[in-house]
Amino acid sequence: MIELTLAEIAKAVDGQLFVPETFSDKKISSIVTDSRAYFHSENSLFFALIGPRNDGHNYIPELIEKGISAFVVSGKKSVSQDAAFISVDNTTAALQKLAATNRSKFNYPVVGITGSNGKTIVKEWLFELLSESFHIVRNPKSYNSQVGVPLSVLLMDNNYNLGIFEAGISKLDEMQNLAQIIKPDIGILTNIGDAHQENFNSKKHKTLEKLKLFKSTDRLIFRVDNKEVKQIAEAFCKANTIQKTSWSLNGNTAEINFNSEKINGATKLTAKTENEIYHFTIPFTDESSVENACHCFAAMLLLAREQEKILPKFENLSPVAMRLEIKKGINNCLLVNDYYNSDFTSLSIALSVLHQQAKKNFHKKVLILSDIQQTGIPSEKLYKQVSELISGWNIDEIIGIGPDIYSQQNLFTGKKKFYISLTEFERDFNRTNFSNSAILIKGAREFKLEQISAMLELKVHQTVLEINMNALVNNLNVFRSLLKPKTKIMVMVKAFSYGSGDVELAKLLQFQHVDYLAVAVADEGVELRNAGIKTPIVVMNPESHSFQLLIDYRLEPNIYSYELLCDFIKIFRQNVLKDFPVHLKLDTGMNRLGLKTEDEILKVMQLISENSGLKIQSVFSHLAASDEAEFDNFTKIQIETFEKFADIISNELSYPIDRHILNSAGIERFPQKQYEMVRLGIGLYGVSVTGLPLENISTLKSTVSQVKTVKAGETVGYGRKGQMEKNSKVAIVPMGYADGLDRKLGNKNGEAVIKGKRVPIIGNICMDMLMLDVSDVDVQPGDEVEFFGDEITIEDLAKKANTIAYEILTGISQRVKRVYLYE
Ligand SMILES: *Cc1c(COP(=O)(O)O)cnc(C)c1O
């Protein structure tokens, strides 16, 4: 971003500037919207954005303390003597205006990309293909939203000579804003999916909305093989006098005609334009990769001069793993892997994830960083910034790899080591140098830092459960949208977060400001506290031997009986504490734990009032059949009973308490009964009873160990249950019932997905292995196999195994490694 004065910014965002008298004239060179991010406080301007649940204005006092002294706020919020304020109507709109102003200062070409699928891949591939020909500025990762796009466009400055920005929308009328900001000269319309989407009622409607990004472009690239999309795009170009670069893979009339041929895991492409024929190869065979590569080719033709130099680069395109992975490492280390791109902004994002994950239980934070490439900034200036960023995040040790960073090593302080190349690093590598550390591995693709990850990774079983952290946040927000802004959320992280791994999830939930976490037993709570979780934690099943532990770790017990309370108080009295929170559980018809009668409740209340160190934080009850319409009358009676008892309790107290009865299905079906808090469980993990737009968060995966031919008449597996009717190909996969895959799924009842195709499980599932009939698929050892995920849902699987999604999720064995993905 270029430097601007506050007055210039106020003008750009139509805001009113309030500056304290003593304030010196300062220049702004970085924009902050997340109070938890690291910032160079002196030149930073904080935009107090208002989200559905979070209001940036709440963090202003804290940020002033941290040294930020300039804010964009909505309305005339608290003008302070210590800071300058720009007051606007809407802070998000102001951020967008500022980005649009920044955009208008540069006339180098900008490519705009939108569509339902492939946006990020096309953007990243174009970056890979063109980064020797241009200095490119682009969205970090997939920052393509109403806030992500302005933040990306604000990165434009004179160091670059090409912009590539993707735009994504989830609601109507969002694209106009993004079009104003990106103002693309060349547009690319990627694949428009068929999937039904919340806010668009047809494919046509969806296409028209997306096209709004290109209203003032000179040229649009699009594929003509879908009739509907072709017609809409052509009419759009005509109406807005936009030149077309249309293309086809199926022989339809177009400016570019592609031909594809699959050979040995690669696809050879021939492109015919009016005057020329081009050949190139990509290392993929799937249809979306071929389509994305064709888009890139078309854009390359328009942008680049030295096409012969670029064409060979198609052969080295890599899968775009935009995701940051978190894995367990050797010697108690944690690995945060992000080795597919390296630029300053994504380094900053990755460091914030490292910080979030590294709380307490790791002694050190280590960064392994390659050269940062193609920034256009002189090396010395760049690595000085990197060095400041790193000390801002309190990194204990840096390991730099690559000639540039090697030559700038004097700019770094603290514990450090630098290597000219990966080979040098490997020569010096000693496992014992890495222990009890949280390690971020971050670098440009060509440095192949995945090899370092492979050296540091804890090797267990090839079977993994991938947890998509972005989907988890999405699901949390979907539920938040059903709640009033003030309603608190308790997230149930019992049973290892429904099998999804507790500590990592709890850290993310804390980061997302959930109000409470709930675990089943004290030990689970202690583990979370040891990992640095400060969010209040309720223990649903407090056992008497753990009472002192509860008190020491400030874990709040669920009091479900008079006897339990008596036992707890015996231990509690040995401590001197005030206002220690407890929660009263009422039994309103589940007939599980809980106080069932008014007498019992009053007895408990009496005892609590005699112990002034205790405070009733909440009263709650649990619904027995919140997901089943046939029992709605029963549910209503439960709710009435709860209200009656809760009133009795409130009336006895001189302070307010929280009331809560809704679990996930309850939130979906009885949102009017949310009271002061709700308890979210299975919904967060992707299961909805009413069809909410939740995303799947977990994918159970393994890899093929061996492929063999089995002749007709032979059998597969124990008990000779897998009878082969014809000559077949069988894949053996290291996943069995000991991993938590239900044995009932054997004998063609269950399926797996390989290379996009569903294949049946044949024969009995063994303890550690199973066999798949892969006769119709081209399968090699090492190929990935998916048992549940986006394709086969957990609910499908539960039905086949004659159980419920809860049991499938919590049944995945602990020996299956959990891998956490961030986009
Ligand atoms: C597990 C649990 C929940 C969450 O239930 P879901 O159906 O997973 O939403 C809520 N309340 C209590 C008391 C629980 O034990």
Side-chain angles (χ1 to χ4, degrees), residues 740-758:
L741 199 72
D742 201 304
R743 197 164 167 277
K744 288 198 268 311
L745 294 167
N747 298 312
K748 296 193 180 163
N749 182 24
E751 291 172 316
V753 177
I754 297 192
K755 298 208 159 163
K757 287 223 172 82
R758 287 195 183 217

Side-chain angles (χ1 to χ4, degrees), residues 490 492 494 498 540 558 585 592 620-623 626 661-667 679-685 806:
M490 177 184 292
M492 312 306 288
K494 59 194 184 194
Y498 289 46
M540 287 295 170
N558 161 22
K585 174 142 195 201
R592 209 169 67 173
F620 70 107
S621 188
H622 196 31
L623 296 172
S626 61
I661 195 166
L662 300 180
N663 62 344
S664 308
I667 304 171
R679 299 188 306 273
L680 181 57
I682 193 98
L684 184 67
Y685 309 99
Y806 298 75

Side-chain angles (χ1 to χ4, degrees), residues 53 480-488 671-672 674-675:
R53 292 281 297 199
R480 281 183 159 165
S481 73
L482 302 179
L483 300 174
K484 298 188 196 111
K486 284 234 156 70
T487 307
K488 297 179 192 169
Q672 68 283 9
Q674 55 189 269
Y675 307 111

Side-chain angles (χ1 to χ4, degrees), residues 327 367 429 797:
K327 289 182 172 167
L367 168 65
F429 179 71
L797 201 75

